[in-house]
Structure formats: structure tokens, C-alpha cells
Amino acid sequence: MRLILFIILFPLCTYAQSDSARFYNLCLDANASRALQYVPARLAPEFEKRFKYENDQSDYLLKHTSGIDSLLVIFHRYWRQSLLDTAQNYDGELATELCRFFHVENQPIDSLNATFNAYIKSKQLFSTDGIGKVGRLYDLLVWRKQTDTTYSLHLNKEHLNVHVVLMQNFVTLGWEDYATLGKFYPGGWAVTDALYCVSDSYDKKSEKFLVSYLAHEGRHLKDYGLFPGIKGKDLEYRAKLTELSMADSMLFPLIKFFISNANKNSVNDHPLANYNVMSDLSKRLFHKEFEDDITKWKALPVKKINNTAYRLLKENTKAMRSSYKKKKNDKA
């Protein structure tokens, strides 16, 4: 399976209420049981149908019917168990069910990639190249149509031509979509030789596409070549700094999103990187560990934040190169 790193799609209008922010933060950190304590009133009926009772009482599965209904049921059960019981790892149960579904002997999920790919292809559908994780959970993203294209972009001072696969008509957008009632989901991802884009989610002329998708994922492509084996949290740290170094009209919504979804203790790459990015910027711009007051960020010039983010990125690149060079010399 090719290396896949996902980007979470976020709305241009960030939520204002602290309980709402906390609710979505917990959902994206795969903790629906705690999110139930903060669910906004307008979302409570649907969210409680999905997570409050012994069984999912919503129409989620009915709304996502396709030729892979039986497979989606397996993932749906696994997602729901994992989201509600964070102390327990249900990966083993998922592996057992998938082996039974594919009529193979018990084996790890990573060994099922070829079988999974063949099954999806037999249904005239598209999916990720094998079964991978988004955060701590195995995910299922499946779509009906895709188109190949090439985009030319500037990545800070670098120029890139990137292969982009535009995906449309999704069967399922995975556990984040399920957990947040469709508010958040992967807007795209990078593999070592291409970018994948949830096409209908973007205005292709907007910063949301040009910066938070193309530049973010373009940084991943560059880093795959520069730093083989780089960890997800470092990839996300560098890509988010790239966004903040290039964003203009979308800069403060981005900052608000990163602040609201930061968690320094998270096992998921995105919340952890959100914290590390905003903490490092806070230290440079406010001389404190973590500035979470968006009004103070808005008092700063956009270019000052852009330039500081770019300096942090360059410093990180220098440190990473030094670390990789040392590792290479130690092996020699």
C-alpha cells in the first residue's frame, strides 16, 4: 500500500461557541462518548441517535447504500464501537470480520489489501490503495467516479507540477464524516506519486483549494522525497506551517481551526500537529506556550504571521536534514 496522509476538510466559517468547538474536537479525536457531553442542541437528535443508545438508530446506513453495503456495515460497527469505547482497541475484531467477509484465513488487516482492492474494483468503484488508518481508526473511503489532471503551483519559493486525481460521488467518506454528522471529513490526501482530491468540496479558485489543499498536500509530496520514512506528525506540522505561510483571506479561519482542534496529548497526527504549530508560533509572536485568543491573533499583520510560519518551516527543514544526515552517517 502506498503511503497515504489525509487532510481534514474544514468549513470557512468556524464555529463560535466553545462547547461546539469542544464537541467537534472530541469527535475528530475519535471520542464520541465524551462528545455526547458537549453536543449542541441543534445536533443532539441526530448525534444521540447514532451514539447514545445500544444500537445506532439513525438512517446513516440507509443513506449510504451501494454495492458494498455488507462491507460498510462491518466498518460502521467497528467505527461505532471504537468511537464509544476509547479504552478498547477493536482492530482485532475488525480483522476477524474482514477475513470472514473475504473468505480468507485469519490474518492481519494489512495482508488483505490485494483482496480488498480486487473487491472494490469488481463493484466498479474506487477506493484508497488498500485499507489504511485515518488517525487511530481503520477507514473506508469509496467513490464512484474519478478524473486525472495536473496542477501547476508555487510552494513558497518552489514550483511544482503535481498529478491530481479528482474524486466524485462518494459512497462513504469514512469515520470522521460519520462521527461529525458530515461536518468534517478527509478533503483529500497525498500518496508518494499523486494527490487525491474530494473534488466537489472545493472552489478551485479559492485559498481553501490552492493553499489548504494543493500547497498542504504538495508539501507532503516534497517531504516524501526529502525525508523518507518521515512520521505523520512531522508531515502534518510542516504542511500546516506551509498553509499559514501562504494564507491571506483564510489565515484567521485557519488559525481558529488549528486552535480549536489542538491536542498535545493526542495519538492522532492532526490534533497533535495543530498544537505544535500553534504553540511554536505563540512562543515566537506572543512569548507564551499557547495563545488561544483569536482576537489577539487578528491584531497581528497577516504578513507577520506568514513570515514567522515560513521561518519556522525553514528552521525545521534545516533540523530535519541534519537529523537525517546523522542517521545516514550512523548507519555507514
Side-chain angles (χ1 to χ4, degrees):
M1 180 179 182
R2 290 178 293 176
L3 179 60
I4 298 176
L5 200 68
F6 293 86
I7 177 173
I8 300 174
L9 188 69
F10 69 96
L12 283 175
C13 297
T14 55
Y15 30 84
Q17 297 179 351
S18 59
D19 276 0
S20 182
R22 187 175 300 180
F23 166 72
Y24 284 118
N25 190 347
L26 288 165
C27 288
L28 291 174
D29 211 26
N31 194 339
S33 57
R34 281 201 64 205
L36 277 166
Q37 302 171 33
Y38 302 98
V39 58
R42 62 187 175 81
L43 301 177
E46 178 63 19
F47 196 77
E48 289 177 356
K49 282 181 182 178
R50 293 191 185 190
F51 297 109
K52 185 175 181 179
Y53 308 106
E54 184 176 355
N55 299 304
D56 187 340
Q57 298 183 10
S58 74
D59 59 357
Y60 174 83
L61 289 173
L62 288 176
K63 286 184 175 179
H64 292 78
T65 56
S66 71
I68 62 164
D69 285 354
S70 298
L71 181 62
L72 181 56
V73 165
I74 292 173
F75 274 89
H76 170 266
R77 181 163 50 245
Y78 160 74
W79 294 338
R80 191 170 187 275
Q81 289 175 321
S82 301
L83 288 163
L84 287 171
D85 183 4
T86 59
Q88 179 69 31
N89 187 317
Y90 291 94
D91 292 358
E93 285 87 341
L94 176 64
T96 298
E97 287 203 57
L98 289 176
C99 288
R100 187 182 300 119
F101 177 80
F102 289 125
H103 305 291
V104 298
E105 293 183 3
N106 285 338
Q107 54 187 285
I109 291 176
D110 292 345
S111 300
L112 299 173
N113 288 337
T115 303
F116 170 82
N117 292 342
Y119 171 78
I120 295 296
K121 186 177 181 180
S122 74
K123 301 297 183 179
Q124 288 78 54
L125 298 170
F126 302 93
S127 186
T128 52
D129 187 9
I131 306 172
K133 283 190 170 184
V134 174
R136 68 178 180 87
L137 302 184
Y138 281 102
D139 219 346
L140 181 66
L141 294 105
V142 180
W143 56 99
R144 296 181 176 88
K145 180 182 177 182
Q146 66 181 40
T147 305
D148 291 271
T149 188
T150 300
Y151 277 90
S152 179
L153 70 140
H154 287 283
L155 189 63
N156 298 120
K157 297 180 180 181
E158 305 168 85
H159 182 266
L160 295 179
N161 289 311
V162 295
H163 173 206
V164 179
V165 181
L166 301 174
M167 306 171 292
Q168 294 176 305
N169 201 352
F170 272 75
V171 173
T172 166
L173 273 163
W175 73 261
E176 290 173 334
D177 175 71
Y178 175 64
T180 65
L181 308 183
K183 179 80 168 183
F184 298 102
Y185 48 86
W189 54 87
V191 296
T192 52
D193 55 359
L195 305 183
Y196 283 73
C197 174
V198 181
S199 182
D200 294 340
S201 298
Y202 297 98
D203 170 357
K204 303 303 189 298
K205 296 180 181 179
S206 68
E207 280 193 14
K208 190 176 183 179
F209 177 73
L210 297 173
V211 176
S212 283
Y213 174 72
L214 273 183
H216 180 113
E217 300 297 340
R219 176 60 62 195
H220 288 338
L221 283 182
K222 290 288 293 184
D223 285 348
Y224 290 152
L226 283 173
F227 309 116
I230 183 174
K231 294 180 179 178
K233 65 181 181 65
D234 296 318
L235 278 164
E236 284 304 331
Y237 175 82
R238 293 172 54 75
K240 291 173 190 290
L241 280 177
T242 298
E243 288 183 73
L244 294 176
S245 73
M246 298 176 66
D248 182 16
S249 63
M250 212 178 69
L251 178 63
F252 295 115
L254 258 178
I255 289 174
K256 175 63 176 175
F257 179 82
F258 290 167
I259 290 172
S260 298
N261 292 278
N263 184 346
K264 66 178 179 180
N265 299 314
S266 179
V267 297
N268 293 335
D269 295 330
H270 279 279
L272 180 59
N274 289 341
Y275 181 86
N276 290 337
V277 164
M278 297 314 301
S279 176
D280 286 350
L281 279 173
S282 294
K283 290 171 184 175
R284 293 292 176 91
L285 295 170
F286 299 102
H287 308 291
K288 61 186 298 187
E289 178 67 25
F290 193 95
E291 179 55 70
D292 61 0
D293 185 348
I294 189 62
T295 61
K296 293 183 179 179
W297 288 94
K298 288 181 177 180
L300 297 176
V302 167
K303 285 298 180 184
K304 183 173 184 177
I305 300 174
N306 291 156
N307 293 337
T308 304
Y310 187 45
R311 283 197 294 273
L312 283 171
L313 178 63
K314 290 193 295 183
E315 290 171 12
N316 182 262
T317 300
K318 183 178 179 180
M320 293 277 287
R321 281 178 169 158
S322 177
S323 175
Y324 270 69
K325 183 177 179 180
K326 184 178 185 302
K327 288 179 182 178
K328 187 175 180 180
N329 290 338
D330 288 344
K331 291 180 180 180

